[in-house]
């Protein structure tokens, strides 16, 4: 029997969106949508279930909880990172290139950058990236222990830098100004404040203010990345 139209005196019924076929991929898709709109604080199993038009209990057949969901989300974005076959002569350049890829992924998915600080990568894509980077380091002559600790420090640096950028982005949006306008005003005020500090107590800060305030986000990230790669290169022995 076909549905009859509502009588004109009745409040029109709201059509409900068709439920998506539940699968782990569908749950991750919905979680990514929630994360993009509402941030990490808005992500919960209940909220993802609402996005899918179902109850939270139905999600647990596919994901054990929020912790696993975050691991799956991190693995999803890690799929965009490509790792080359190790070239012992170019290992430092290869590691730097992969690090930049990871940085760009986290800049786009800043909420996951924060989540990654407390999540150990276990998914196939994240493990692929870690395995590939470890292979590059070992091929370049870096011993296993410093190579392993380097990767740990490297991803902390990448995630922290990307998340700091996200926090500044929130400040820009809250100010209602353009990015250029916000930074111009902030740097002007900051410069004026530093120059107002007592010269006898802060002689170096005042004398080298231009150096302290120079460089954009990418330039500073590149500098820090170079420091890390040069640092682990000290452990490398030619093969």
């Amino acid at each position: 029997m076909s549905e009859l139209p509502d009588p004109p005196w009745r409040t029109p019924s709201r059509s409900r969106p068709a439920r998506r076929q539940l699968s782990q991929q569908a749950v991750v898709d919905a979680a990514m949508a929630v994360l993009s709109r509402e941030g990490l604080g808005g992500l919960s199993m209940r909220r993802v279930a609402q996005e899918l038009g179902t109850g939270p209990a139905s999600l647990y057949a596919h994901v054990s909880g929020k912790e696993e969901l975050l691991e799956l989300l991190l693995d999803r974005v890690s799929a965009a990172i490509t790792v080359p076959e190790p070239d012992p002569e170019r290992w430092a350049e290869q590691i730097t290139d992969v690090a930049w890829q990871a940085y760009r992924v986290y800049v786009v998915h800043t909420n996951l950058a924060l989540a990654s600080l407390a999540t150990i990568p276990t998914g196939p894509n994240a493990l692929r990236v870690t395995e590939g980077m470890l292979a590059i380091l070992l091929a370049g002559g870096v011993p296993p222990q410093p190579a392993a600790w380097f990767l740990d420090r490297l991803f902390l640096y990448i995630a922290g830098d990307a998340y700091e950028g996200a926090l500044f982005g929130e400040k820009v949006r809250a100010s209602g100004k353009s990015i250029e306008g916000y930074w111009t005003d902030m740097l002007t005020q900051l410069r004026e404040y530093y120059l107002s500090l007592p010269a006898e107590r802060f002689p170096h800060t005042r004398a080298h203010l231009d150096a302290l305030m120079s460089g954009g986000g990418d330039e500073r990230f590149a500098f820090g990345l170079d420091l890390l790669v040069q640092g682990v290169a000290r452990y490398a022995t030619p093969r």
Side-chain angles (χ1 to χ4, degrees):
M1 182 182 295
S2 62
E3 287 188 354
L4 296 176
D6 291 326
W9 57 84
R10 187 178 299 166
T11 302
S13 59
R14 296 180 179 178
S15 60
R16 295 183 179 178
R19 287 188 179 182
R20 278 186 258 178
Q21 185 76 26
L22 274 188
S23 65
Q24 189 177 85
Q25 179 176 336
V27 173
V28 174
D29 288 343
M32 188 68 77
V34 172
L35 190 69
S36 298
R37 289 198 308 266
E38 302 174 26
L40 193 61
L43 183 66
S44 66
M45 296 293 280
R46 181 176 298 279
R47 185 65 193 86
V48 173
Q50 291 173 348
E51 183 78 10
L52 289 164
T54 186
S58 61
L59 270 58
Y60 289 96
H62 308 282
V63 179
S64 62
K66 185 176 178 180
E67 184 175 345
E68 183 185 359
L69 186 58
L70 287 172
E71 291 176 7
L72 292 169
L73 287 166
L74 285 166
D75 199 64
R76 167 73 65 85
V77 300
S78 295
I81 302 171
T82 60
V83 184
E85 288 296 317
D87 180 348
E89 301 299 321
R90 299 178 54 250
W91 73 268
E93 180 183 338
Q94 289 183 316
I95 283 293
T96 299
D97 175 69
V98 178
W100 271 107
Q101 290 184 59
Y103 175 69
R104 293 186 183 104
V105 165
Y106 281 158
V107 165
V108 173
H109 303 282
T110 50
N111 287 293
L112 287 178
L114 175 61
S116 73
L117 294 172
T119 303
I120 299 173
T122 56
N125 287 309
L127 288 174
R128 171 186 57 81
V129 173
T130 302
E131 173 71 16
M133 295 181 79
L134 188 57
I136 291 171
L137 290 162
L138 295 174
V142 180
Q145 190 64 80
W149 285 353
F150 166 77
L151 290 179
D152 177 64
R153 297 299 95 182
L154 176 64
F155 278 100
L156 278 175
Y157 172 63
I158 293 170
D161 199 283
Y163 185 61
E164 182 186 48
L167 293 178
F168 275 116
E170 291 294 328
K171 291 182 178 182
V172 172
R173 283 188 287 274
S175 73
K177 301 175 182 177
S178 66
I179 295 176
E180 295 78 10
Y182 174 85
W183 281 109
T184 297
D185 291 349
M186 192 197 79
L187 291 176
T188 298
Q189 293 177 14
L190 195 58
R191 177 178 292 276
E192 291 174 352
Y193 173 71
Y194 279 146
L195 290 174
S196 72
L197 295 173
E200 67 277 7
R201 291 179 59 191
F202 302 96
H204 302 300
T205 299
R206 287 174 55 106
H208 302 289
L209 190 54
D210 288 341
L212 288 169
M213 298 182 65
S214 67
D218 281 2
E219 292 174 281
R220 288 172 177 245
F221 177 79
F223 177 76
L225 179 57
D226 186 57
L227 288 179
L228 287 169
V229 174
Q230 284 190 45
V232 78
R234 292 172 46 218
Y235 296 89
T237 54
R239 294 195 172 187

